[in-house]
Amino acid sequence: MLIENMTMAFSAIRTNKLRSALTMLGIIIGIGSVISIVSIGDTMRSMFADLYKNIGLTQAYLSIGYWVDDVRQSDYFTLDEMERIKEAFPDEIAYIDSSAMTSADAVYKREKITFDYTGIDYNYQDVQPVNIVYGRYLNEGDILGRKKNAVMDTDSAKMLFGTENAVGKTFRTTLYGSTDDFTVVGVYRKELNAFQALMMGKTSDRGAAFVPYTLLTWPNDYFYQLHIFASEEVNQSVFYDQLKAYAARMRSREPEDMYLYTAMEQMTAVDQVMGGLSAAVGGIAAISLLVGGIGIMNIMLVSVTERTREIGIRKALGARTRDVLIQFLTESAILSACGGIIGVAIGVGVVSIGSALLGMEAVIKPGVILMAVSFSAIVGIFFGIYPASKAAKADPIDALRYE
């Protein structure tokens, strides 16, 4: 019986191809929009997750709270205090530095480029690995000796020196009022797609370089905040609470006076916002499914009217009310499901092509596709109930008389 009803449904759809296509258009647009929006949202959430993985999910920044009014010099950290913290949590801390960074012009011959300098320790590569293509990374001797050495990326090297292999070349820059010559000891290449490069703030007209963090805290060795990477195996929540309490005791403060924010917290907040936006916009797009459903109801009412005589003949030959009801429900469900399948294909195609053009990996969840097709069929059945019921309740004698 089901096969027969499906055969009759496809036959009716083929008989009125243009009308069926226009009827499915609302479902196609609705499903395509929902698939596209939800998949774009999931892709963006995945890209943010990858971005934070590149940045480091275990990292955090610790400082005196911005809400504290009576900030004093003792609230700032020193290099000695940083060493004490490192010794107090040897297993929990994978990396720590003074979070030192600044911007200044780098000058080489007649070339002048604004550079963003980040102060790091020699083991920074353990938590933020880069691909050194020329020379070497900063070593412990560079840090302890406060040597004026720098490591930069290939793009920055090309901007300033006109070549990627800038190892051994020197440039002049002024940091905190002191002008010195810096030597490039290493050049690295870090592959980023367009989205990651944009979100990480890399602009085409600025360079970037790593220098010993001890240079950026010189000469008084005071700094505002600590930059920490926790070991991956530790419980971050517990460890960072302990760290706040320890840092507070060092400066005779309460733990509530210390401000600590983590990459994990930021990622969770961003993910929640992205998920909420995706759901909201997807819900708005789903309204078009209602419009498509109303279109199906309208065309099924027309179909019932056109096929009144056919209904009368079927009932006269012994078809039950239930048989006629199922026939028209099957037709409306197939009409809606076909629109849903086409809409899925369009939505998936749009997301895949867009992601490929932007160099991103599309995230299209099978569950979303299954839900979309199922929902489109349910819409077809729901909006087909009234026309099917009207056809099933038709009096066979009146139907046979209908012209």
Side-chain angles (χ1 to χ4, degrees):
M1 179 63 71
L2 178 61
I3 301 298
E4 181 182 351
N5 285 330
M6 291 181 66
T7 302
M8 293 173 64
F10 280 115
S11 177
I13 292 172
R14 284 196 301 270
T15 301
N16 300 283
K17 295 183 181 66
L18 180 59
R19 188 171 71 184
S20 298
L22 292 175
T23 303
M24 289 188 292
L25 191 59
I27 299 295
I28 292 172
I29 294 173
I31 292 295
S33 300
V34 171
I35 291 288
S36 299
I37 291 170
V38 173
S39 296
I40 289 172
D42 288 338
T43 300
M44 294 299 291
R45 292 170 72 181
S46 176
M47 291 302 301
F48 271 107
D50 289 341
L51 177 64
Y52 275 98
K53 286 179 183 177
N54 284 334
I55 294 174
L57 287 176
T58 66
Q59 74 171 310
Y61 292 87
L62 176 67
S63 65
I64 189 69
Y66 56 85
W67 56 86
V68 177
D69 294 327
D70 60 328
V71 177
R72 44 189 185 263
Q73 188 175 16
S74 60
D75 290 322
Y76 287 77
F77 294 98
T78 66
L79 293 180
D80 288 339
E81 288 177 334
M82 188 174 74
E83 289 300 321
R84 285 165 54 193
I85 290 174
K86 189 188 302 185
E87 292 171 1
F89 301 95
D91 298 326
E92 291 84 357
I93 294 178
Y95 175 83
I96 187 170
D97 67 32
S98 61
S99 185
M101 57 183 63
T102 190
S103 297
D105 288 336
V107 180
Y108 174 73
K109 295 182 179 178
R110 296 184 178 181
E111 197 70 52
K112 179 187 290 186
I113 304 291
T114 300
F115 262 63
D116 296 320
Y117 298 105
T118 302
I120 62 170
D121 205 346
Y122 70 95
N123 60 335
Y124 188 57
Q125 194 173 20
D126 294 341
V127 293
Q128 289 285 273
V130 293
N131 178 26
I132 295 291
V133 290
Y134 305 106
R136 62 171 177 84
Y137 206 65
L138 295 177
N139 58 35
E140 191 171 8
D142 295 324
I143 309 301
L144 296 178
R146 301 182 190 261
K147 293 183 178 179
K148 296 173 178 60
N149 291 337
V151 173
M152 62 182 61
D153 61 88
T154 51
D155 292 337
S156 300
K158 288 183 70 173
M159 279 194 295
L160 185 60
F161 301 106
T163 179
E164 288 187 356
N165 189 359
V167 174
K169 294 184 179 296
T170 61
F171 62 93
R172 178 159 293 190
T173 192
T174 302
L175 300 180
Y176 303 136
S178 176
T179 301
D180 295 287
D181 289 330
F182 278 69
T183 302
V184 178
V185 296
V187 179
Y188 69 91
R189 178 178 288 112
K190 190 168 186 178
E191 302 295 339
L192 298 174
N193 59 40
F195 173 80
Q196 290 173 325
L198 175 65
M199 295 307 299
M200 293 180 74
K202 183 72 172 71
T203 56
S204 58
D205 60 341
R206 296 174 73 96
F210 293 129
V211 297
Y213 77 88
T214 47
L215 290 176
L216 300 186
T217 54
W218 183 261
N220 57 20
D221 287 343
Y222 281 96
F223 49 93
Y224 181 70
Q225 68 180 359
L226 289 172
H227 179 209
I228 308 113
F229 279 80
S231 300
E232 293 186 358
E233 62 273 9
V234 305
N235 184 316
Q236 288 192 46
S237 179
V238 173
F239 163 59
Y240 283 130
D241 283 343
Q242 294 173 344
L243 180 62
K244 282 177 63 177
Y246 185 85
R249 287 197 303 271
M250 291 176 68
R251 48 204 20 79
S252 300
R253 290 281 190 179
E254 295 297 324
E256 293 75 20
D257 293 335
M258 304 304 297
Y259 177 52
L260 186 141
Y261 62 100
T262 67
M264 183 65 75
E265 291 174 346
Q266 289 182 338
M267 189 189 76
T268 301
V270 169
D271 187 68
Q272 289 175 346
V273 171
M274 294 294 297
L277 287 175
S278 180
V281 178
I284 294 172
I287 294 174
S288 60
L289 288 174
L290 297 178
V291 178
I294 293 171
I296 288 176
M297 178 185 285
N298 181 54
I299 206 65
M300 290 304 297
L301 285 171
V302 172
S303 180
V304 168
T305 302
E306 289 179 344
R307 295 159 64 184
T308 301
R309 189 172 181 84
E310 174 194 330
I311 295 169
I313 294 173
R314 289 199 67 193
K315 299 195 77 172
L317 292 175
R320 295 167 295 179
T321 299
R322 185 181 67 180
D323 296 331
V324 178
L325 178 67
I326 292 176
Q327 175 192 344
F328 280 90
L329 279 179
T330 302
E331 186 173 327
S332 65
I334 289 177
L335 198 63
S336 183
C338 287
I341 292 172
I342 296 172
V344 167
I346 292 174
V348 170
V350 168
V351 174
S352 299
I353 292 172
S355 299
L357 292 176
L358 294 174
M360 301 186 297
E361 184 178 352
V363 177
I364 303 172
K365 297 179 179 178
V368 174
I369 295 176
L370 181 62
M371 181 182 67
V373 175
S374 301
F375 186 70
S376 66
I378 292 172
V379 166
I381 293 173
F382 178 79
F383 285 97
I385 287 177
Y386 175 70
S389 177
K390 182 179 179 182
K393 292 177 181 178
D395 184 87
I397 297 176
D398 292 339
L400 286 171
R401 289 175 178 172
Y402 183 82
E403 294 295 337

